[in-house]
Amino acid sequence: MTTTARRRSASYKVGDIVTGTTYVEPEDRRREAPVEFTGTVVQLGAGWQRVDASLAYLWARLPSGREVKALIQDVAKA
């Protein structure tokens, strides 16, 4: 028996300009708050196969050169 994996096209690609809210790990939320940002996508995905989309990350580079992490569900193309 063989199975065929369904592939969906990614909503974003490296180089896209996005806007959204940064993701702060639960253990860091007492000292850091999520912030709104606009930046260029530099990496997609959490780095683990079969990660649920609600937990999938992307990284964006801000105009300052700093990189931020966000949940894909919390960003949109600018």
Side-chain angles (χ1 to χ4, degrees), residues 2-64:
T2 60
T3 59
T4 305
R6 294 179 106 188
R7 286 195 146 187
R8 290 185 348 187
S9 60
S11 300
Y12 306 101
K13 62 182 186 291
V14 172
D16 284 345
I17 306 295
V18 295
T19 187
T21 304
T22 59
Y23 177 74
V24 177
E25 298 288 343
E27 61 271 13
D28 295 331
R29 292 180 184 160
R30 293 184 77 182
R31 64 175 189 262
E32 183 180 347
V35 295
E36 292 186 14
F37 73 92
T38 299
T40 304
V41 175
V42 294
Q43 181 178 331
L44 291 161
W48 300 288
Q49 291 183 349
R50 299 185 187 121
V51 171
D52 183 67
S54 67
L55 299 176
Y57 303 106
L58 64 70
W59 281 259
R61 183 168 293 127
L62 307 179
S64 67

